[in-house]
Amino acid sequence: MSVSRMLKIQILAHAAIKDALAAFLREAGVIEVTDASVDGFAGSSAADEAERYARLLERAETAAAYLERYAPKPTLAERLSGGPVEVTSADIERILAETDVERIAGRCQELEAEIRRCRDEKAWAIDLVRELRHWTAIERPLESLSTERCETQLWSFADAAADAAAAVFERRPHAHGETVSRAGGRAYLAAIALREEANAVAEELKQAGGARFAFEKLRGSPAEIIERESGRAGELDAAAERAEAEGRETAAVRPRLLALSDHFRERRSLVEVERHFHRTERTVLIEGWIRAVDRRRLEKEIAKRWGDLEIMTRGPLEGEDAPVSLENGPRVRPFEFVLTLYGRPLYGEIDPTPLLAPFFVLFFALCLSDAGYGAVLTALSAFLLFKLRIRGGVRNLMQLMLAGGALTIAVGVFTGGYFGVSPEKLPPFMQRLVVIDPLADPMKMLNVAFLIGVVHILFGMGIKMAVNLRAGLWIDAVFDDLCWMLLIVALVPLGYAGILGGRVSPPILFYASRGALAVAAVLFVTGIRKERNRFLGAVKSLLRFYGITGYFGDVLSYARLLALGLATGAIAIAINGIAQMATGLPAIAGYVAAGLILLLGHAFNLVVNILGAFVHSARLQYLEFFNKFFTGGGREFRPFRSERRYTVLRKTVDS
Amino acid sequence: MLGFALLVIGAALAAGLAGCGSALGCGIAGMAASGVVSEDPNKFGRLLLLQALPGTQGIYGLVALFMIVNKFASWGIEPSAVPVRTGLEFLGAALPIGLAGLVSGVYQGKVCAAACSLVAKRPGEVGKGLVFGVVVETYAVLGLLATILLLQRITIG
């Protein structure tokens, strides 16, 4: 449960084993390679090579992405639990030999373009045919409509604009309009005008609300064109289908493309990491960070393979930016997710993951606070974890949900929350288990929330004290941290009686107030030590008591535990109420509606409140808890290792 | 009857104002989220989370409405028997969640919209964007709490 100790490692080797060493280090995956090169650049050939692999990788990935639509769809279960495919290096060699990535990627691009072309042209042909159906009364080829002196224009008008169109022809005696057809509230009209006034006529018809049909590029009569284009639509369909069929056939190579994209990614990473190496004619120097626990094993593994190299390690120097790696047991590890949302600890700082874990789960449960919802959440996350065996980041989240859901059941039992069913309707044994009913007695629950808040804050301050003690700063630990903790403890009964109106027996109040004053006096006197100037020290020490308002605000913030818990319960009750009303509908419809309302309503409430419970529980850690002892902002440890996405490399005897 | 009318107005303001806050907030965040999705549809899930965040104010308002209605129902009296003073008390108690819900909803929406651009540039940092939003939401939670505590003190007679 801590931040791993880091060592700076330097490996000096003969240049001849450079490639093998780099490949070995990647497989080991324990070193974060840092810049050892003096000129910072390994030369242009390496850059070219990296670029070549980057291009191949990009081609393989785009082609695989295109072919995905033809690949068999994995089911949800497969997608959640499906692991990468195993390959051996012999497989890769074989695939590399028999797969021409450039050609396949090029072909995929062509197929995609072909399908798009067919689709566009077909849409165009369909539009044209639709338009030409109005002009089939014209039996002559369209290109012969205009003559040397006259121009024929085809227009359509909404019936409402017919008068305006007619007016144009009245104004211009040398132009003539002839209605060819009528359909759908529009008139289709051929206009014939002298060449010299054609443009003016067109302008006026447009003003009158006409839409012109451009046919200048068409050849043949409308009926002929319709026949031609209808036939072509069929051809385009066939061409698109041929391209699709080829795509479906090609999709068989997709697994190979994925394997190759992993291979190219690996090659590229090897070339790129080399840029960080320092090279002389005969030697290569590799520098990086390694977790102290991994050092011995790495040295042993290297010694097994090569004799002629030198390994040097040392601890991080002052001001060196050592990366941070967290070490937690399997139970606590999922909570690293909550921590890393905020940030990693600084190197040398305490890892708060195990410290926040119990509180996070408790807060989550209090915010959700319904045994029914808790049971559903537990069942769902257990199903995903143990039945479908999901992997990756979601797995951590589901482990959190499992713990949160389980505790939510307990909280729900003690607060009488079962899908918003009112406590009086519960069976007697369940009623007996109810300790606090937050809906009926929110003040009691509020006090519990505040008490939990005080404990959480005191715990945070206690951690700060422990950190100071460990660092040997026992004066700070006693006179800052411990005294402040005592002051807060003494203020709790006073606040409970004075602000919340609770009943506290007079002797306790007496001792609490005297105790608070005594601790405050100690805090004031010892606080002076922080300034060389005694007077300034006294003023600052006095001002430090303003911090009480900060702690007060922090405790108030835990009221959200009550508010969110109440919100879950109140909405659940509302959903039940609406469903109850729906049963009043005639016959079976009422029960169907009520069932749907219950199902969807509670599902919605569950999702919204899980989100709320998660973010608010996290917030209480970040803002109220962490500021007592934690800085954060450390850099993640990113060891140089293989970054395969689709495949895993299986070791064979010869590799 | 005036007493009961004031009670109804109070409940309506709690749910209505807080609902307005959520509508405005979700709207603001949603516009920003659509912009990001136009560039990268894969971020939809994370952005939906951000858009939904200002939606809680409306829920808090509804909670307040139900608590007011429930309280009245638990007395088992006729609407006409609610004194004007009690009605005014309900109206006053409803205001904290109504007002805090309205304003915090809008500002949470703006914070979430900014968080959408955060996600656009650094998809892994959605959690930090959420936390920024939750800091604003505190005041809606406190508003609901104030309403609940005030409702506790209202008695009939």
Side-chain angles (χ1 to χ4, degrees):
Chain A
M1 52 160 276
S2 59
V3 177
S4 314
R5 203 161 70 82
M6 285 289 164
L7 295 174
K8 191 96 191 201
I9 186 167
Q10 288 180 317
I11 304 173
L12 183 63
H14 196 275
I17 63 167
K18 177 191 58 134
D19 291 339
L21 186 59
F24 164 76
L25 288 178
R26 185 179 55 193
E27 283 312 310
V30 294
I31 291 187
E32 178 180 302
V33 177
T34 56
D35 230 355
S37 64
V38 179
D39 48 4
F41 195 52
S44 64
S45 69
D48 287 348
E49 213 183 341
E51 212 160 274
R52 192 172 71 84
Y53 283 121
R55 181 187 151 76
L56 282 169
L57 172 61
E58 192 261 322
R59 298 284 277 170
E61 293 220 300
T62 359
Y66 170 70
L67 293 173
E68 192 179 0
R69 74 188 71 173
Y70 302 114
K73 292 264 175 301
T75 62
L76 184 65
E78 279 171 355
R79 222 179 310 163
L80 287 171
S81 58
V85 185
E86 280 194 353
V87 292
T88 62
S89 44
D91 288 341
I92 292 289
E93 288 303 321
R94 183 174 49 75
I95 294 172
L96 203 54
E98 69 191 24
T99 315
D100 184 348
V101 174
E102 285 286 354
R103 193 188 58 76
I104 293 172
R107 190 62 196 146
C108 284
Q109 239 170 9
E110 284 166 17
L111 289 177
E112 199 176 1
E114 171 73 359
I115 291 169
R116 196 179 315 123
R117 181 189 68 87
C118 293
R119 207 175 44 217
D120 291 352
E121 283 190 18
K122 191 185 163 194
W124 182 82
I126 287 171
D127 280 350
L128 182 64
V129 167
R130 191 179 302 134
E131 178 68 30
L132 280 172
R133 291 212 186 284
H134 305 300
W135 304 104
T136 44
I138 300 174
E139 289 171 358
R140 293 163 51 92
L142 290 173
E143 67 270 26
S144 68
L145 291 184
S146 296
T147 65
E148 210 166 295
R149 298 219 34 226
C150 294
E151 182 181 296
T152 302
Q153 303 169 359
L154 301 181
W155 290 85
S156 74
F157 287 90
D159 284 344
D163 291 343
V168 172
F169 295 111
E170 268 168 37
R171 268 205 306 280
R172 294 199 175 261
H174 299 301
H176 174 69
E178 183 86 36
T179 302
V180 178
S181 68
R182 283 176 189 284
R186 288 186 82 81
Y188 295 84
L189 172 148
I192 300 165
L194 291 174
R195 284 270 178 206
E196 49 269 32
E197 55 173 32
N199 285 341
V201 169
E203 189 53 38
E204 281 171 38
L205 286 172
K206 192 174 165 196
Q207 290 289 326
R212 190 169 174 179
F213 170 49
F215 61 90
E216 281 71 18
K217 287 178 186 156
L218 300 176
R219 296 283 172 271
S221 73
E224 286 167 7
I225 299 173
I226 287 174
E227 200 187 327
R228 203 164 64 218
E229 290 300 324
S230 306
R232 217 163 73 85
E235 279 169 30
L236 287 168
D237 276 342
E241 180 45 40
R242 274 197 302 278
E244 298 262 3
E246 192 180 334
R248 277 193 293 275
E249 234 168 77
T250 318
V253 304
R254 187 165 174 271
R256 281 191 269 157
L257 286 175
L258 293 179
L260 282 184
S261 67
D262 268 351
H263 170 72
F264 295 140
R265 190 176 289 112
E266 295 280 89
R267 302 299 308 177
R268 189 186 57 171
S269 82
L270 270 186
V271 176
E272 277 181 350
V273 79
E274 252 184 57
R275 298 188 189 195
H276 295 297
F277 297 172
H278 179 60
R279 292 165 67 181
T280 65
E281 206 174 313
R282 295 279 168 81
T283 63
V284 59
L285 177 68
I286 302 171
E287 201 176 273
W289 293 102
I290 184 169
R291 298 194 309 169
V293 288
D294 292 329
R295 189 193 67 174
R296 188 172 296 274
R297 198 168 53 82
L298 183 81
E299 283 178 349
K300 220 193 268 172
E301 290 288 319
I302 287 183
K304 242 193 264 173
R305 288 172 173 76
W306 300 286
D308 50 351
L309 47 66
E310 183 65 31
I311 301 176
M312 293 155 282
T313 53
R314 61 166 171 78
L317 300 176
E318 188 83 16
E320 241 181 351
D321 183 23
V324 170
S325 159
L326 303 176
E327 281 170 33
N328 284 300
R331 263 166 237 255
V332 174
R333 202 170 299 136
F335 292 91
E336 287 179 3
F337 179 72
V338 180
L339 174 70
T340 48
L341 276 183
Y342 180 85
R344 287 174 177 71
L346 291 170
Y347 183 75
E349 202 177 19
I350 186 171
D351 171 16
T353 311
L355 307 169
L356 70 80
F359 287 101
F360 183 86
V361 178
L362 177 65
F363 296 165
F364 183 89
L366 284 167
C367 291
L368 205 53
S369 76
D370 185 295
Y373 289 173
V376 172
L377 182 59
T378 310
L380 269 180
S381 44
F383 177 72
L384 288 171
L385 280 176
F386 303 123
K387 187 78 188 159
L388 295 186
R389 305 193 154 277
I390 50 164
R391 297 160 190 242
V394 191
R395 188 173 176 84
N396 284 337
L397 193 61
M398 282 305 130
Q399 284 166 332
L400 289 186
M401 292 294 126
L402 184 66
L407 195 59
T408 304
I409 298 177
V411 169
V413 167
F414 292 133
T415 58
Y418 298 89
F419 291 115
V421 174
S422 69
E424 302 95 70
K425 288 186 190 152
L426 293 175
F429 79 94
M430 283 186 176
Q431 285 192 29
R432 274 197 298 278
L433 286 171
V434 176
V435 182
I436 305 174
D437 178 2
L439 281 165
D441 193 1
M443 284 309 290
K444 207 186 218 173
M445 195 65 201
L446 185 64
N447 290 334
V448 172
F450 286 155
L451 185 66
I452 291 172
V454 170
V455 171
H456 196 212
I457 288 169
L458 285 175
F459 185 56
M461 297 167 82
I463 296 167
K464 170 87 177 167
M465 187 172 107
V467 169
N468 275 339
L469 277 179
R470 201 186 284 176
L473 303 169
W474 68 270
I475 292 183
D476 288 344
V478 172
F479 292 118
D480 289 341
D481 307 321
L482 185 62
C483 283
W484 266 106
M485 286 165 72
L486 289 174
L487 181 62
I488 288 171
V489 170
L491 287 176
V492 166
L494 298 176
Y496 181 59
I499 300 166
L500 294 170
R503 261 195 297 278
V504 183
S505 71
I508 293 183
L509 279 182
F510 176 80
Y511 287 119
S513 58
R514 290 301 178 280
L517 283 175
V519 175
V522 173
L523 270 174
F524 172 68
V525 174
T526 56
I528 300 174
R529 75 177 193 279
K530 295 186 180 178
E531 288 289 332
R532 202 165 270 174
N533 180 334
R534 292 293 141 133
F535 177 71
L536 199 64
V539 172
K540 283 203 171 170
S541 187
L542 202 58
L543 283 178
R544 232 165 264 138
F545 285 102
Y546 186 68
I548 290 177
T549 58
Y551 290 110
F552 184 67
D554 284 351
V555 174
L556 279 191
S557 186
Y558 291 81
R560 78 189 64 232
L561 296 178
L562 161 73
L564 289 165
L566 273 181
T568 316
I571 297 283
I573 291 172
I575 292 164
N576 294 345
I578 297 168
Q580 177 87 45
M581 282 182 238
T583 52
L585 288 172
I588 196 146
Y591 289 96
V592 173
L596 274 178
I597 290 168
L598 285 178
L599 193 69
L600 296 178
H602 283 298
F604 167 79
N605 195 25
L606 182 62
V607 169
V608 166
N609 279 292
I610 286 173
L611 174 63
F614 187 90
V615 290
H616 283 281
S617 305
R619 176 227 136 98
L620 285 174
Q621 313 294 336
Y622 302 156
L623 276 83
E624 274 73 24
F625 187 51
F626 280 179
N627 72 1
K628 304 291 177 290
F629 66 96
F630 183 66
T631 317
R635 190 167 64 81
E636 186 188 359
F637 176 58
R638 290 171 178 276
F640 171 51
R641 61 175 147 216
S642 86
E643 284 168 14
R644 297 174 166 274
R645 286 191 194 160
Y646 314 105
T647 53
V648 285
L649 196 64
R650 189 152 47 87
K651 298 269 186 309
T652 48
V653 186
D654 53 277
S655 63
Chain B
M1 277 313 268
L2 182 60
F4 184 67
L6 288 168
L7 182 152
V8 169
I9 292 172
L13 283 179
L17 291 178
C20 286
S22 275
L24 289 166
C26 289
I28 294 167
M31 286 186 264
S34 301
V36 178
V37 169
S38 72
E39 287 287 323
D40 182 3
N42 292 332
K43 297 201 174 92
F44 176 74
R46 271 168 277 194
L47 293 167
L48 189 65
L49 218 61
L50 284 172
Q51 197 208 352
L53 202 56
T56 33
Q57 278 84 347
I59 296 174
Y60 297 153
L62 211 61
V63 169
L65 178 138
F66 268 95
M67 297 199 76
I68 292 171
V69 173
N70 270 357
K71 188 156 183 90
F72 165 73
S74 71
W75 288 338
I77 56 171
E78 288 293 309
S80 58
V82 178
V84 174
R85 182 183 60 80
T86 310
L88 274 173
E89 285 169 357
F90 272 108
L91 178 57
L95 289 181
I97 182 55
L99 296 176
L102 174 61
V103 177
S104 73
V106 174
Y107 278 88
Q108 197 175 21
K110 291 185 180 181
V111 173
C112 288
C116 288
S117 26
L118 169 73
V119 171
K121 287 184 187 147
R122 292 167 163 261
E125 304 294 359
V126 61
K128 287 169 189 159
L130 280 176
V131 173
F132 285 136
V134 169
V135 174
V136 182
E137 184 164 314
T138 302
Y139 301 96
V141 175
L142 292 183
L144 175 63
L145 192 71
T147 295
I148 290 169
L149 293 180
L150 290 173
L151 282 175
Q152 283 296 301
R153 306 278 169 161
I154 298 176
T155 50
I156 187 84

